[in-house]
Structures are given as structure tokens and as C-alpha cells.
């Protein structure tokens, strides 16, 4: 009896590795043994190639988006049909389960052949030797003019400029300013544009913060600031600020960075145009804007899908770039690609690569990229179907333009720990900023304690 | 008729599945995690032996001690809440009144409801924006600044304990109820004939006879409170700013968000020894107050 508590925990801790062990049995070794037998024709163009061997190559693919399961399965069936010698099977898990599961599998040497890879984890996984270096395959098969190659840097390792690619992007997103056109019209304000400064933004936000029922509390906020990475970093970079040193080995908030954080803090505490985190607890952060509670909001362009679903036709809305700070130097968009990686342990590199090419190329139509995700394959991204001009927002092309300015990001090894990610969102930088926005701690004190904490984490991660 | 004969090894054969399960899924992981707690291990790469560094880091870290204090506070209030409220309802439902079976199942309902569903429901109820509770309170206190129950560290742990008590108390209630029904009716009748009122009867007859049940409930509740995880995950994710992170949730964060398996294993052992210590103390103190009649 007394040990139950402990037993449960211990089980919990090792459940992952047990799964890893049990899955080992599932993986059938290829009888021929030679990797890519029959695939030595160097052009993995889809279709046409008659299968030479009767031995079917089995590939496992892991996805972190169960909501896309149906669409992905259609793609996979199409691929399996076109390539009778390859059989791909998919498993998908929600992100919270995906990473523990796939990490345990990778640790046991049983990572799936192809799997979804986040830009935030590429460095960590590549440094541990878990990812296949696909640079040669890219050089051989990819025509650069057909792809948004500017986002490739996110998946290079060890150097973001000259390193080899360890994953292949299929879609990328940027961060945008969502705004409610109806509220702007009602307040007789001009819509945000690319030349907006912080002052323009603040002016509008003040006018858009309205107390409709006269109880002294705003019922409509001008802006909603959510203190997470996709919501803070874009402001930093539009003010030439940073929270890391150039080679990302140390957590240092520079002067422009401090200025940005101060401005963002003032939005909640001084100007009261944005709700404090504690006042919106219990509502999903991505639902506040589509519910019409706030007039402006910053998040990744992937949120377009949710805004469409929740807001419906209730109001008109658009997207714009993040306003420029006083130390603005050049347009910097905070954006990142989502990618596919090939496991270092796979026996079927060529087949896996062929599958990736299929999933990232023209076979995958615009309808497979919900809302604000931009296909990395240009002909699809630049198609009318992707622009969806019949749907809101009517200026999706803005995201395409932003692609040119994707620059810095804050991903490092152990990023989730110092940033305070997911189930640990109360810790790290997120927890500190929430305390500041709730008025529980001064910004200076928060910067001091998070700098110490983050640098401990970063020095341990080296 | 041919008689079936049983040999001793038959018995072992029958317990084999359980023993194998226990060994593979529990005892071996326990053994491995002892070793793991002396390593630095991110699960992608092989563990590195670092001796007592994990424990040293833990005992030096102010965050760790905060977590321990919070865990103890959580356990104390949760245990008291569940034991008292469970007993209260058990006594009420022990009465022979019409409709009692209905209420018994009603109060047991939260126990069998999924924690995730309960978490989402209470998150709404307690939300400062459209939450039912604050809407209701606002009708009573018109202009008062109402708290954000789960968003303000002053109230978050209390709110979490409240919800968890609400969810759990039904289970303890059922155990109490079983204990209450074992108490011979004659004893209560005799007390009444001797002139004892209902309160006196309860405290002098019922409660002493219920102490073995109370003891059992206390032990399991304390253990339950030490490893609370799911309700925290569903409602606060340890926030706001870690103010509801108790030890078992802290273990999860370290193991499955930060991938510090070695450190998390060390923390798991701290939890183990805490549980062991409290349970041992419980058994020591048992002689003083538990009445086996």
C-alpha cells in the first residue's frame, strides 16, 4: 500500500521506454538488407517507376497533428498507390504526447523512418545524432527556384547559414497582427499597415479599449498580449532587440530588448489596453480574438484556421505586420518552418526521401495547408487556391511577402526549459512575464531572475 | 467422480501473470530508476554517471523546497478536506431515508468522471470572464473586485484543492459508509437509552468504532494527495507561475517537458521517501487512537 504512490510515478517515468521495447518487435527487418535496393535510379520522381523487387519496403511515419489525420492518410494512400514497392503507415499523436513518445522511441533506436520535426528541436536532435543528414539528397533533387529556400536555414546544423540540412520543411508560418475591421470602422480608425509604429498601434489600442456596460472594466480590449514565444519575439525583432547573444549560448536581454518588454508590460499595466493573464484564465488564448473580446492580437499565421472556425462570419478581420519599434532597423519576421526528418537508423533512406518529396511537392494541393500555413513548394503557395481570396483575411499574400524577412528566432537546446513550454508554462521566461503582466513582480526583478535561471539551463545544455 | 488434486505449484502458476506483470512493469523500472537518479540522462543519448549531483542540485535549489512546501500544504488541506467531508456525507447517507441510494450514487459520480472533463468544467466555472461562480458572486457583492480563482497564485492552490476534494470525496464516503454499516445498531440504541443525544452518540460510540476505517482512509488519502497529477495537468498546468506545482507534477515537468530523466528520477525517490515516512509515522501513531474493539 505504502508504495503505491511511488510505484505509479516510477511506472510513469519508464512507461515510455517500455513502449519503446515493445515496439521493437514490430519492426521487420528487410530481407534483402541492402538499403534502397532497386531504388538506385537517382531520380525519385513520383509515379512511372515500375517496381523491380517484389519485396515491399515498409515505412513508418509519425505526425503530431491528429486533426490532419484524414488528409494525411489520403496523401499516403496516393503515395502507396503510385509506389507499389513502398508501403507507408502513419501514426499521429497530439504534440503533448508526440514528443515523449517519439523521444522514447528514438532513445531505444526505434524512431520511425520519417517524422514531423519542429524547428525548435532540430539542433537538439541533430546534435544527438538522431537525424539523417539530407543535404546530399537536397542538392541532388531539389530545384531551388521552386522552393522558399529562405526557410531552409531553420533546419541547418550546426551553423544556420552553412550547416547541412537535417530536416526538410513542408510548410512555414510567420507571426502577424490580427485586427478586427468592424471595431476599427466603428472607432473611425485606419486599418493597421506595414508602416505602423508603436505609437500608431498604442493610439489605436487605446481607442479600441471600450467599456460598453459602464462597470468600469473594459468589455472590449484594444489588444491581447499573450506572453509566449510567438507573441513576444516578433515585437523584439521589430525593435532590433534580442534575448540571446548572437551565438545563442547565453541569455542576455539587450537594451532594445528591455525597451520592448517595457513597452509590452505598459500595454497591460499602464495603458490597460490588454487584459492581464489572470483576468482571462479559463478561456483559450486563441479564442479571445475570434470571440470579439479583443480588437488586435499577435500570433502565428497558423491561427487563421482557428479564427475562421470560431469567428465565422460574425465580423470582418484582416492581418498585418507587427508594428515597428523606435529602434527598428529592417523588417524582421518571426517565422519558422515545420519539417520532416529522416531517422538516422532507417534502412530505407531513398524511400523515405521519396516520401518526403511527395509530401512537400506538387502532389500536395493547397487545400492541405489549413489557413496560414504556407507550402514550401512555390507553385502551390503562389496558386489562387492557396490565397483563398474568397475567405477572410483578404490579404493572405502578406504572409508570402513576409517570408523574405524571416530572420532570427530564439530556439536553442533546452529551449523548452528556459522558455517554460507546454506543461511547464508556469516556469522560465513565460512564468516570469506572466507575473510581470499580472503586476506581481517588477520587470527588472523578473529579468534578473530569468537571466540567472536561463543561463543555468543553457550552461547545462552545452 | 474423479477428484481434482491441487499441488502447491498450482498456486504459483495462478499468481504467475501478476508476478510477471509486477516485475516487468514495476519492480524492474524501480530498480532502473534508482540507477537513473545518479545519472544525467536526456533519454536521447546514453545516461552519464554523475554520482550525487542530482540530489545536490535538488537540495540547493530554492524551487525544490518551494515545491516540497507546496506539496505538504496541498496534502494537508486535501486530506483534511476529503476525510471530513467524506465522513459528513457518509453519516448523512447512512440514514434510512427515502432517496438515499440516489444521493449515494450522485455523490459518487465525480469520482468516476474523467479528470479532464472535470478540469475543463471547473476551469469554466472558475473563469473570471464568463465563469458562473464569479457571475453569481457579482450579483451578491455588486462592485467588488472578484478574484481570478485559478489565475491568481493567492487562490489557485486553494481552488485546485477544492475541486480535487469535490472530485475525490465520494470514494472516501463509500468506504466510510461501509464502515458505518458494520457498527452494530444495538450499541447506538443502548447509548440512546442511556440518555445520549445524537452528537454524543456520534462522538462517543460511532466515531471510536469507526477508527479502523478512518485509519485506512487517512493512509490512502495521504498517498493519493502526494501523487496528485491529473487534476493539476487538466486545470492549471502547475501555473500561474508554478504556484500549483506539487512534487509529482514537478517530476512530470522535469521528465517529459525538460527531458531531465536523471533529475526526475531523483525527485521520484524524494517523493517515495516522503510517502514512506508519512505512512510509517501513521502506523506508529496508530496504536494511540485506532480502536479495534
Amino acid at each position: 500500500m505504502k508504495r503505491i504512490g511511488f510505484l505509479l510515478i516510477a511506472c510513469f517515468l519508464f512507461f515510455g521506454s517500455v513502449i519503446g521495447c515493445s515496439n521493437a518487435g514490430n519492426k521487420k527487418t528487410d530481407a534483402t538488407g541492402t538499403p534502397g535496393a532497386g531504388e538506385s535510379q537517382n531520380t525519385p520522381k513520383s509515379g512511372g517507376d515500375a517496381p523491380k523487387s517484389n519485396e515491399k519496403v515498409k515505412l513508418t511515419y509519425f505526425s503530431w497533428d491528429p486533426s490532419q489525420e484524414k488528409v494525411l492518410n489520403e496523401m499516403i494512400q496516393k503515395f502507396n498507390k503510385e509506389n507499389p514497392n513502398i508501403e507507408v503507415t502513419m501514426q499521429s499523436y497530439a504534440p503533448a504526447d508526440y514528443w515523449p513518445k517519439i523521444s522514447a522511441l528514438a532513445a531505444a533506436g526505434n524512431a520511425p523512418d520519417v517524422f514531423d520535426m519542429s524547428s525548435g528541436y532540430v539542433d537538439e536532435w541533430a546534435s544527438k545524432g538522431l537525424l539523417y543528414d539530407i543535404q546530399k539528397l537536397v542538392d541532388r533533387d531539389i530545384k531551388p527556384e521552386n522552393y522558399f529556400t529562405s526557410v531552409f536555414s531553420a533546419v541547418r546544423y550546426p551553423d544556420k547559414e552553412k550547416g547541412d540540412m537535417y530536416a526538410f520543411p513542408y510548410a512555414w508560418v510567420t507571426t502577424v497582427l490580427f485586427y478586427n475591421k468592424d471595431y476599427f470602422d466603428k472607432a473611425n480608425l485606419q486599418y493597421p499597415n506595414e508602416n505602423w509604429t508603436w505609437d500608431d498601434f498604442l493610439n489605436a489600442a487605446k481607442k479600441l479599449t471600450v467599456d460598453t456596460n459602464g462597470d468600469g472594466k473594459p468589455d472590449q480590449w484594444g489588444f491581447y498580449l499573450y506572453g509566449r514565444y510567438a507573441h513576444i519575439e516578433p515585437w523584439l525583432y521589430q525593435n532590433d532587440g534580442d534575448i540571446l547573444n548572437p551565438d545563442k549560448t547565453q541569455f542576455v536581454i539587450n537594451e532594445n530588448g528591455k525597451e520592448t518588454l517595457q513597452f509590452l508590460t505598459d500595454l497591460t499595466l499602464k495603458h490597460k489596453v490588454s487584459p492581464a493573464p489572470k483576468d482571462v484564465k479559463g478561456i483559450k488564448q486563441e479564442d479571445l480574438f475570434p470571440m470579439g473580446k479583443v480588437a488586435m492580437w499577435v500570433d502565428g499565421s497558423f491561427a487563421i484556421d482557428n479564427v475562421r472556425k470560431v469567428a465565422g462570419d460574425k465580423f470582418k478581420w484582416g492581418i498585418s505586420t507587427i508594428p515597428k519599434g523606435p529602434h527598428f532597423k529592417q523588417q524582421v519576421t518571426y517565422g519558422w518552418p515545420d519539417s520532416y526528418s529522416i531517422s538516422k537508423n532507417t534502412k530505407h533512406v531513398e524511400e523515405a526521401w521519396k516520401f518526403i518529396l511527395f509530401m512537400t511537392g506538387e502532389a500536395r494541393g493547397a487545400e492541405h495547408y489549413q489557413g496560414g500555413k504556407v507550402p514550401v513548394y512555390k507553385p502551390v503557395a503562389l496558386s489562387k487556391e492557396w490565397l483563398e481570396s474568397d475567405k477572410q483575411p483578404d490579404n493572405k499574400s502578406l504572409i508570402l511577402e513576409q517570408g523574405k524577412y524571416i530572420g532570427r528566432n530564439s530556439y536553442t537546446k533546452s529551449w523548452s526549459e528556459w522558455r517554460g513550454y507546454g506543461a511547464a508554462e508556469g516556469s522560465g521566461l513565460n512564468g516570469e512575464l506572466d507575473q510581470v503582466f499580472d503586476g506581481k513582480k517588477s520587470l527588472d526583478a523578473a529579468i534578473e531572475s530569468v537571466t540567472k535561471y536561463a543561463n543555468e539551463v543553457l550552461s547545462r545544455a552545452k | 467422480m474423479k477428484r481434482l488434486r491441487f499441488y502447491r505449484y498450482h498456486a504459483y502458476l495462478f499468481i504467475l501473470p501478476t508476478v510477471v506483470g509486477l516485475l516487468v512493469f514495476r519492480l524492474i523500472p524501480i530498480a532502473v530508476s534508482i540507477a537513473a537518479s545518479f545519472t544525467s540522462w536526456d533519454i536521447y543519448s546514453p545516461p552519464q554517471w554523475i554520482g550525487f549531483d542530482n540530489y545536490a542540485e535538488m537540495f540547493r535549489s530554492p524551487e525544490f523546497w518551494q515545491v516540497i512546501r507546496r506539496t505538504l500544504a496541498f496534502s494537508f488541506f486535501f486530506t483534511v478536506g476529503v476525510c471530513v467531508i467524506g465522513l459528513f456525507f457518509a453519516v448523512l447517507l447512512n440514514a434510512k431515508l427515502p432517496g438515499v441510494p440516489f444521493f449515494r450514487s450522485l455523490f459518487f459520480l465525480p469520482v468516476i468522471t474523467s479528470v479532464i472533463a472535470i478540469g475543463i468544467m471547473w476551469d469554466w466555472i472558475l473563469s473570471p470572464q464568463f465563469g458562473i461562480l464569479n457571475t453569481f458572486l457579482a450579483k451578491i457583492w455588486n462592485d467588488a473586485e472578484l478574484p481570478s480563482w485559478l489565475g491568481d497564485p493567492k487562490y489557485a492552490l486553494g481552488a485546485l484543492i477544492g475541486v480535487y476534494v469535490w472530485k475525490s470525496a465520494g470514494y472516501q464516503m463509500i468506504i466510510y459508509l461501509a464502515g458505518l454499516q458494520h457498527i452494530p445498531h444495538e450499541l447506538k440504541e443502548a447509548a440512546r437509552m442511556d440518555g445520549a443525544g445524537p452528537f454524543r452518540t456520534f462522538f462517543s460510540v460511532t466515531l471510536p468504532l469507526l477508527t479502523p476505517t478512518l485509519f485506512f482512509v487517512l493512509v490512502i488519502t495521504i498517498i493519493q494527495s502526494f501523487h496528485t497529477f491529473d487534476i493539476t495537468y487538466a486545470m492549471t498546468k502547475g501555473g500561474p507561475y508554478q504556484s500549483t506545482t506539487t512534487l509529482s507534477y514537478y517530476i512530470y515537468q522535469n521528465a517529459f517537458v525538460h527531458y531531465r530523466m536523471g533529475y526526475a528520477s531523483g525527485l521520484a525517490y524524494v517523493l517515495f521517501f516522503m510517502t514512506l515516512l508519512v505512512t510509517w509515522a501513521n502506523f506508529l501513531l496508530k496504536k494511540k487512537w485506532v480502536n479495534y474493539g
Side-chain angles (χ1 to χ4, degrees):
Chain A
M1 181 55 71
K2 58 186 118 174
R3 259 164 243 217
I4 281 186
F6 159 72
L7 286 170
L8 277 176
I9 297 296
C11 272
F12 214 140
L13 276 176
F14 285 89
F15 194 56
S17 43
V18 170
I19 291 171
C21 301
S22 68
N23 261 29
N26 292 347
K27 211 169 182 182
K28 291 198 186 88
T29 28
D30 201 69
T32 53
T34 42
E39 248 63 46
S40 36
Q41 321 100 307
N42 275 351
T43 42
K45 59 174 187 262
S46 48
D49 297 347
K52 279 185 188 164
S53 74
N54 42 16
E55 194 70 42
K56 247 190 184 182
V57 170
K58 287 195 168 124
L59 293 180
T60 315
Y61 159 60
F62 270 34
S63 150
W64 65 38
D65 194 354
S67 73
Q68 285 291 90
E69 204 164 359
K70 203 174 142 233
V71 179
L72 289 171
N73 261 328
E74 279 167 21
M75 289 292 297
I76 288 167
Q77 268 166 25
K78 217 161 113 190
F79 178 78
N80 287 345
K81 218 173 185 180
E82 283 177 21
N83 300 276
N85 59 330
I86 308 176
E87 191 185 329
V88 180
T89 50
M90 177 181 72
Q91 295 178 33
S92 56
Y93 303 90
D97 304 324
Y98 179 84
W99 290 108
K101 171 112 188 163
I102 200 164
S103 311
L105 287 174
N110 287 319
D113 304 279
V114 181
F115 49 97
D116 283 3
M117 177 46 64
S118 143
S119 302
Y121 283 128
V122 167
D123 294 49
E124 186 123 23
W125 282 61
S127 73
K128 305 253 157 73
L130 299 168
L131 305 180
Y132 188 84
D133 181 347
I134 60 167
Q135 190 61 51
K136 283 204 183 93
L137 301 169
V138 173
D139 293 343
R140 187 187 72 194
D141 297 329
I142 295 296
K143 288 190 187 115
E145 64 271 20
N146 278 342
Y147 293 82
F148 288 100
T149 47
S150 66
V151 301
F152 286 7
S153 66
V155 294
R156 293 187 190 279
Y157 176 83
D159 187 84
K160 289 290 164 206
E161 305 299 321
K162 292 176 292 243
D164 284 351
M165 286 171 73
Y166 282 84
F168 195 75
Y170 64 90
W172 49 276
V173 294
T174 64
T175 39
V176 292
L177 177 76
F178 291 83
Y179 61 94
N180 186 318
K181 286 184 176 173
D182 288 7
Y183 289 165
F184 271 79
D185 291 342
K186 220 188 283 171
N188 262 327
L189 287 165
Q190 272 199 325
Y191 297 150
N193 60 50
E194 278 163 57
N195 297 317
W196 253 30
T197 62
W198 285 0
D199 289 336
D200 299 323
F201 165 79
L202 185 59
N203 267 332
K206 278 179 180 164
K207 282 180 189 140
L208 290 164
T209 305
V210 195
D211 175 13
T212 45
N213 60 8
D215 64 352
K217 279 178 270 175
D219 300 286
Q220 172 196 314
W221 276 284
F223 180 61
Y224 172 44
L225 175 68
Y226 184 57
R228 303 293 180 266
Y229 62 106
H231 319 86
I232 298 285
E233 264 85 330
W235 292 93
L236 285 166
Y237 301 147
Q238 284 287 63
N239 191 35
D240 199 35
D242 212 337
I243 51 175
L244 295 167
N245 66 348
D247 63 358
K248 290 190 176 183
T249 50
Q250 273 203 320
F251 183 90
V252 207
I253 304 183
N254 63 11
E255 280 310 309
N256 292 346
K258 279 182 192 154
E259 183 185 40
T260 313
L261 292 179
Q262 187 63 54
F263 173 74
L264 294 175
T265 306
D266 288 346
L267 292 178
T268 306
L269 292 185
K270 193 169 152 200
H271 307 299
K272 299 195 186 334
V273 296
S274 170
K278 67 177 159 68
D279 292 331
V280 287
K281 170 73 183 144
I283 308 174
K284 283 194 212 150
Q285 78 92 9
E286 65 269 32
D287 287 350
L288 274 168
F289 175 78
M291 282 161 74
K293 292 289 286 180
V294 300
M296 290 183 281
W297 170 56
V298 165
D299 202 345
S301 54
F302 50 79
I304 286 175
D305 196 40
N306 186 59
V307 176
R308 278 180 188 162
K309 275 183 197 145
V310 178
D313 303 325
K314 269 182 286 176
F315 58 84
K316 286 203 177 60
W317 53 281
I319 53 173
S320 182
T321 51
I322 313 299
K324 301 170 181 175
H327 290 94
F328 173 88
K329 268 211 186 116
Q330 56 190 359
Q331 280 285 349
V332 180
T333 302
Y334 178 51
W336 63 92
D338 285 338
S339 313
Y340 297 123
S341 274
I342 300 179
S343 160
K344 185 86 176 238
N345 287 327
T346 184
K347 294 195 175 67
H348 312 290
V349 172
E350 286 297 336
E351 288 86 350
W353 174 241
K354 199 170 185 179
F355 177 61
I356 289 178
L357 283 178
F358 179 81
M359 294 295 278
T360 56
E362 62 181 338
R364 194 169 184 178
E367 70 277 11
H368 286 181
Y369 300 87
Q370 334 97 287
K373 284 196 173 182
V374 187
V376 76
Y377 187 68
K378 274 183 179 172
V380 178
L382 301 175
S383 66
K384 258 192 246 142
E385 287 76 25
W386 185 82
L387 277 176
E388 301 180 299
S389 35
D390 53 328
K391 284 185 188 165
Q392 301 202 74
D394 57 10
N395 57 343
K396 255 176 86 175
S397 56
L398 175 96
I399 305 171
L400 296 177
E401 287 158 32
Q402 276 186 310
K404 283 178 275 198
Y405 308 116
I406 291 184
R408 268 172 292 182
N409 60 52
S410 61
Y411 293 129
T412 66
K413 280 189 210 167
S414 293
W415 173 82
S416 68
E417 194 173 353
W418 66 259
R419 186 79 225 195
Y421 179 64
E425 63 174 359
S427 65
L429 183 57
N430 290 342
E432 296 287 345
L433 285 177
D434 279 353
Q435 289 183 63
V436 173
F437 301 152
D438 273 344
K440 304 266 172 193
K441 203 174 192 178
S442 76
L443 180 61
D444 288 336
I447 288 178
E448 200 188 311
S449 61
V450 74
T451 304
K452 186 168 164 274
Y453 173 77
N455 281 325
E456 273 169 27
V457 173
L458 286 170
S459 68
R460 217 176 25 230
K462 248 180 238 165
Chain B
M1 206 171 86
K2 202 178 158 193
R3 260 188 73 199
L4 283 169
R5 295 208 55 177
F6 283 98
Y7 296 98
R8 180 167 287 181
Y9 77 88
H10 285 141
Y12 290 116
L13 217 59
F14 277 112
I15 62 167
L16 191 66
T18 311
V19 170
V20 168
L22 203 66
L23 216 62
V24 172
F25 293 108
R26 302 224 160 149
L27 297 178
I28 292 175
I30 288 170
V32 174
S33 73
I34 295 181
S37 76
F38 295 106
T39 62
S40 164
W41 183 26
D42 61 7
I43 79 170
Y44 309 102
S45 31
Q48 280 170 319
W49 191 264
I50 54 166
F52 282 92
D53 282 9
N54 282 330
Y55 293 97
E57 185 192 334
M58 212 179 289
F59 296 135
R60 269 201 297 266
S61 143
E63 195 182 6
F64 168 76
W65 292 109
Q66 274 168 19
V67 168
I68 294 287
R69 271 198 298 276
R70 211 174 288 131
T71 309
L72 294 176
F74 184 96
S75 291
F76 179 79
F77 290 109
F78 173 73
T79 307
V80 170
V82 164
C83 287
V84 172
I85 291 173
L87 183 59
F88 178 74
F89 282 108
V91 171
L92 281 189
L93 294 181
N94 197 31
K96 290 196 171 50
L97 293 171
V100 156
F102 170 73
F103 283 104
R104 278 182 195 166
S105 17
L106 190 71
F107 292 144
F108 195 67
L109 213 56
V111 179
I112 51 168
T113 310
S114 131
V115 184
I116 302 298
I118 283 179
I120 293 173
M121 187 186 80
W122 278 98
D123 221 16
W124 287 340
I125 293 177
L126 298 173
S127 164
Q129 278 303 313
F130 311 102
I132 298 175
L133 183 67
N134 277 11
T135 314
F136 179 72
L137 291 179
K139 292 255 190 289
I140 305 175
W141 289 281
N142 253 329
D143 50 350
E145 190 70 33
L146 290 167
S148 171
W149 299 103
L150 292 171
D152 190 327
K154 260 193 290 188
Y155 308 103
L157 194 64
L160 195 68
I161 293 172
V163 173
Y164 203 38
V165 167
W166 178 84
K167 173 173 167 51
S168 315
Y171 179 69
Q172 275 79 356
M173 181 195 79
I174 292 290
I175 301 174
Y176 281 133
L177 210 52
L180 283 172
Q181 301 197 329
H182 266 277
I183 295 173
H185 211 68
E186 307 88 77
L187 291 178
K188 287 191 222 167
E189 227 163 87
R192 211 169 49 229
M193 283 167 116
D194 285 345
F199 281 97
R200 186 69 200 266
T201 313
F202 177 74
F203 284 106
S204 302
V205 178
T206 314
L207 209 55
L209 288 171
L210 200 63
T211 45
T213 316
L214 270 173
F215 176 73
F216 173 70
V217 166
L218 190 70
V219 171
I220 60 159
T221 309
I222 292 176
I223 292 171
Q224 182 192 1
S225 71
F226 273 144
H227 65 243
T228 162
F229 165 79
D230 35 17
I231 195 81
T232 316
Y233 183 81
M235 286 179 69
T236 63
K237 298 239 184 332
Y241 3 113
Q242 298 292 71
S243 62
T244 56
T245 300
T246 51
L247 190 49
S248 46
Y249 194 74
Y250 194 55
I251 292 172
Y252 173 81
Q253 287 183 334
N254 275 291
F256 294 114
V257 183
H258 308 330
Y259 297 108
R260 300 187 66 199
M261 288 295 164
Y263 192 63
S265 300
L267 289 169
Y269 269 87
V270 171
L271 181 62
F272 168 58
F273 282 111
M274 267 172 72
T275 316
L276 197 67
L277 206 72
V278 173
T279 312
W280 178 66
N282 262 329
F283 274 89
L284 273 189
L285 292 171
K286 183 166 106 171
K287 291 185 206 95
K288 302 244 188 250
W289 63 280
V290 178
N291 180 353
Y292 283 103

